[in-house]
Amino acid sequence: AKAEGRNRMVLYNESMGMELRARTSLEAELRLALERGEFEVHYQPRMAVRSRSILGAEALVRWRHPVHGLVGPDIFIPMSERLGLIGRLGMFVFEAAVRQQTEWAARGHDLQISVNLSPLQLADTHLVARMAAVLRRYGCEPSRIELEVTESMLLGNEERPIAVLKAIEALGMSIALDDFGTGYSNLAYLQRYPLHTLKIDKTFIQAPDVDRPLAEMIVSLCRLLKLNVVAEGVETSEQLAWVARREIAEYQGYHFSPPVPAPHFEALLEATPA
Ligand code: C2E
Ligand code: CA
Ligand code: CA
Ligand code: CA
């Protein structure tokens, strides 16, 4: 277990010997957690590097476990995928984000909110129709929602994820490639897929000097592709200065704020220049 930020979070690593017994009971509880209303969505600001204003937010799910406290997604997202629960959990997060978008927009903060998608959700033939229904129900402008996908969605069948991404784009939502630089697909996909944003993985932003050349190459690649670029994991002023020198327009990271509950996010909105 490890403490992180203002919201202490349990981060057992399954591979690092979480006891089988403990894991089995956690899985049983995970099946019930949705009905029990134990999931909550926190929001991390996405910032403009130049103006230091808040442009958007990434929705990140947490499990408020009655005994263990706040459990991190690195534990229960893989579990949810294995147990076939990710579809419902994913829609819960999507709906929360859409509701939050319209609520903040009504108060004059028309932010773009990003929602993470599991590769398994892209296999659901009803995904896009379900999302369209939620957007309509809340009267949310689709372009105000961005879906974050990773290259791992392309392992195996390529046709299906591409068709779904195209349907998402046709609906008017935008699409970000998350953890950019850490995947293994060939680079041709970057031009074939309807991507709007590249999120440079935090390992490049936090790279020690010896690994700088690789980070520079990733940034150059982003520039060539002419997509919107977000630097992830900016923790220090030095890292932010590095990002600014490379003319990367947007960043996320603990330097400004970790993911926080909605009321705390609203306090950040009030305290930050528009
Ligand atoms: P991700 O999508 O890459 O999200 C960014 C992670 O980096 C978040 O961890 C965030 O809290 C953390 N982070 C942000 N700024 C910094 C920083 O400056 N330094 C460091 N060291 N970390 C930073 P979190 O919330 O624990 O989420 C972990 C992963 O769980 C996410 O990685 C994402 O892959 C997954 N996840 C979270 N929520 C959802 C969800 O609703 N659906 C799905 N499918 N996956 C989710
Ligand atoms: Ca993400
Ligand atoms: Ca990421
Ligand atoms: Ca990740």
Side-chain angles (χ1 to χ4, degrees):
K2 173 177 144 197
E4 198 134 78
R6 272 159 268 204
N7 290 285
R8 202 186 127 77
M9 202 150 71
V10 218
L11 289 171
Y12 304 109
N13 186 327
E14 287 183 38
S15 60
M16 275 174 20
M18 185 172 178
E19 268 184 75
L20 185 62
R21 194 157 32 83
R23 196 204 301 171
T24 309
S25 82
L26 204 60
E27 286 182 355
E29 291 169 317
L30 187 56
R31 291 182 190 282
L32 299 168
L34 207 55
E35 285 111 79
R36 291 178 175 165
E38 291 173 356
F39 291 111
E40 51 188 76
V41 179
H42 288 195
Y43 296 89
Q44 183 177 40
R46 199 177 71 232
M47 309 296 295
V49 171
R50 262 177 207 279
S51 66
R52 309 281 169 102
S53 60
I54 299 177
L55 301 170
E58 177 173 2
L60 293 153
V61 66
R62 275 91 182 86
W63 178 10
R64 196 166 291 279
H65 188 281
V67 177
H68 303 305
L70 218 51
V71 182
D74 285 329
I75 301 172
F76 67 84
I77 292 289
M79 277 186 181
S80 302
E81 290 174 333
R82 254 197 333 271
L83 298 173
L85 303 170
I86 193 68
R88 284 198 301 145
L89 179 57
M91 278 315 289
F92 167 82
V93 178
F94 182 79
E95 180 164 352
V98 166
R99 185 179 47 73
Q100 196 62 79
Q101 200 290 327
T102 55
E103 213 176 288
W104 284 337
R107 287 193 255 158
H109 301 288
D110 195 9
L111 306 176
Q112 187 181 55
I113 302 194
S114 313
V115 180
N116 292 283
L117 268 197
S118 158
L120 294 182
Q121 288 178 268
L122 292 170
D124 172 7
T125 48
H126 301 295
L127 176 76
V128 180
R130 276 197 249 278
M131 288 182 163
V134 172
L135 290 165
R136 265 197 313 274
R137 178 145 29 97
Y138 289 89
C140 180
E141 167 57 42
S143 68
R144 306 282 75 205
I145 301 294
E146 181 160 77
L147 299 177
E148 300 194 0
V149 299
T150 58
E151 292 159 80
S152 60
M153 69 179 175
L154 299 169
L155 298 176
N157 179 356
E158 282 207 4
E159 250 93 273
R160 175 90 212 134
I162 295 175
V164 176
L165 294 188
K166 289 192 171 148
I168 288 168
E169 187 184 45
L171 193 59
M173 289 189 284
S174 67
I175 300 164
L177 188 65
D178 205 357
D179 304 342
F180 181 58
T182 63
Y184 0 69
S185 335
N186 72 58
L187 294 173
Y189 68 89
L190 287 170
Q191 296 188 317
R192 284 205 306 266
Y193 303 158
L195 299 173
H196 306 90
T197 302
L198 294 173
K199 301 191 78 172
I200 302 180
D201 191 72
K202 56 175 167 276
T203 53
F204 300 104
I205 304 305
Q206 302 174 349
D209 282 342
V210 287
D211 293 335
R212 279 288 161 220
L214 191 56
E216 300 285 0
M217 194 205 75
I218 294 288
V219 173
S220 307
L221 193 53
C222 288
R223 192 158 298 133
L224 283 172
L225 290 160
K226 297 195 167 68
L227 297 170
N228 185 32
V229 179
V230 181
E232 291 197 286
V234 174
E235 294 184 359
T236 67
S237 311
E238 288 73 27
Q239 288 161 0
L240 183 55
W242 186 88
V243 163
R245 279 199 302 280
R246 270 136 201 96
E247 291 175 33
I248 295 171
E250 302 176 19
Y251 76 98
Q252 280 177 231
Y254 297 165
H255 179 70
F256 182 73
S257 173
V260 292
H264 188 149
F265 192 95
E266 288 162 16
L268 292 173
L269 281 173
E270 298 311 325
T272 311

